Amino acid sequence: MFTRRERKEAGQGYLFLLPALLILGVFVIAPILYAVFLSFHKVELLGGANYEFRGLDNFLKVTFDDRAIIALKNTAIYVAVVVPAQTFLALVLAASLNAGLKGQKFFRVVYFLPTLTSSAVLTLIFMWMYNQNGLINYVLKIFHLPTYNWIGDPDVALIAIMIMNIWATAPFFMVIYLAALQDIPDSHYEAAELDGAGAVQKFWHITVPNLRPVTSFVVIMGIIGTFQLFDQSYIFSGGSGGPNNSTLTVVLLIYQYAFKTLGTMGYATAIAFMLAIIILVATLVQRKFSKEESLY
């Protein structure tokens, strides 16, 4: 049995927690539960809510939806290319800026500037650069290299988004690596120098192994972020996922089914839950893989 004082203290504690619990319940838990409900129904939200129970049909429908398969394929390719590239670039930039080079503070600021730019503004800038008469093709012409229709060519459009996002996101992870590099003792590098190790050997045998926990975090954050690609693809294609569905991603497809097509809100919610499961599984696999690596 609780004493009167203990009950009073517990009541005061829950009273202080109440505002946070209300916000969490209204804006997080309730929408998740409502989304679970929607995923099992055919939903008509316009002209009065109308729900028709469909069971698992919304989830099974994905296997017959050609656009959903294309979106998943595009997203998987995007994740497989961007996550390793941005991780490696961030690590190289951090290591170079931590090497005591002249003017490194200036370069830290310059490299970090893309992260401070709005994603939409950054996309518009790159669309201007990717234009057929834009900056990139102009530079390619100077060096007598082939130019590309970066936005209109289905074979190049997704690659163009990849290049933009690698350039924009690597500086953010670079800052995380820079903070972690401060914890590696200088004695490790000094001992390696005495053994005759060069800069590349010190990087691969000292820097990289000591940054494994940070690399695991960076990869997991990269996986979560890249699977949720939406705004750049939406702006590049005008919301269509074109040309020829080459920039169609899973999140953009969810948006199209939820807000552009009548009667498919429940189907869009089902795709969203399947994407959440994919992200969860990919994250757990990465965590398990990183833990196994740390044993050696």
Side-chain angles (χ1 to χ4, degrees):
M1 292 292 294
F2 293 103
T3 64
R4 183 177 179 182
R5 181 176 179 179
E6 288 173 339
R7 288 197 297 269
K8 184 179 178 181
E9 289 178 351
Q12 289 174 343
Y14 284 116
L15 186 63
F16 284 119
L17 286 173
L18 186 60
L21 292 175
L22 284 174
I23 293 173
L24 186 66
V26 172
F27 295 103
V28 178
I29 297 176
I32 291 175
L33 295 177
Y34 184 57
V36 173
F37 171 79
L38 291 179
S39 65
F40 293 99
H41 291 76
K42 179 182 179 181
V43 185
E44 294 282 357
L45 294 180
L46 297 178
N50 181 28
Y51 305 99
E52 180 185 338
F53 182 72
R54 287 293 184 88
L56 296 175
D57 286 356
N58 285 333
F59 294 93
L60 297 175
K61 184 180 176 181
V62 176
T63 58
F64 304 101
D65 187 348
D66 291 338
R67 297 190 77 236
I69 294 172
I70 292 172
L72 182 59
K73 179 182 176 182
N74 290 341
T75 305
I77 294 172
Y78 177 81
V79 173
V81 173
V82 173
V83 172
Q86 71 183 11
T87 303
F88 179 74
L89 180 59
L91 178 57
V92 171
L93 289 175
S96 62
L97 290 178
N98 195 60
L101 300 176
K102 207 170 194 179
Q104 64 180 13
K105 291 183 179 179
F106 169 76
F107 285 110
R108 286 182 185 182
V109 174
V110 171
Y111 288 159
F112 191 67
L113 284 177
T115 305
L116 303 177
T117 308
S118 166
S119 177
V121 173
L122 193 66
T123 305
L124 292 174
I125 292 172
F126 267 82
M127 284 184 70
W128 166 75
M129 294 172 60
Y130 284 140
N131 190 282
Q132 283 188 299
N133 298 316
L135 179 62
I136 295 178
N137 280 344
Y138 176 75
V139 174
L140 291 174
K141 285 180 182 177
I142 292 175
F143 292 97
H144 304 287
L145 295 173
T147 59
Y148 297 95
N149 183 8
W150 295 92
I151 300 175
D153 187 348
D155 295 328
V156 182
L158 187 62
I159 297 174
I161 296 178
M162 290 178 183
I163 294 171
M164 180 188 68
N165 277 293
I166 292 169
W167 179 82
T169 55
F172 172 75
F173 296 121
M174 176 197 73
V175 174
I176 297 174
Y177 274 125
L178 273 173
L181 284 170
Q182 311 306 313
D183 293 332
I184 301 178
D186 292 335
S187 58
H188 289 11
Y189 295 102
E190 293 169 359
E193 284 182 8
L194 291 174
D195 290 337
V200 176
Q201 291 174 315
K202 286 189 288 184
F203 175 77
W204 285 113
H205 296 289
I206 298 177
T207 304
V208 173
N210 278 279
L211 292 178
R212 274 180 184 165
V214 179
T215 301
S216 177
F217 170 78
V218 168
V219 170
I220 289 173
M221 294 300 294
I223 289 172
I224 294 172
T226 49
F227 265 115
Q228 298 181 59
L229 175 68
F230 169 74
D231 47 354
Q232 296 95 335
S233 179
Y234 180 89
I235 296 172
F236 258 78
S237 64
S240 67
N244 196 26
N245 291 326
S246 60
T247 60
L248 182 66
T249 62
V250 175
V251 178
L252 179 57
L253 183 70
I254 292 169
Y255 167 81
Q256 290 177 349
Y257 279 132
F259 301 107
K260 296 290 185 179
T261 309
L262 293 177
T264 54
M265 176 68 79
Y267 179 50
T269 309
I271 297 175
F273 270 104
M274 295 176 74
L275 176 62
I277 293 172
I278 291 172
I279 294 174
L280 177 62
V281 171
T283 302
L284 293 175
V285 169
Q286 162 58 23
R287 287 191 62 187
K288 181 175 177 59
F289 180 74
S290 62
K291 285 180 180 178
E292 287 179 354
E293 272 196 340
S294 64
L295 296 176
Y296 295 98

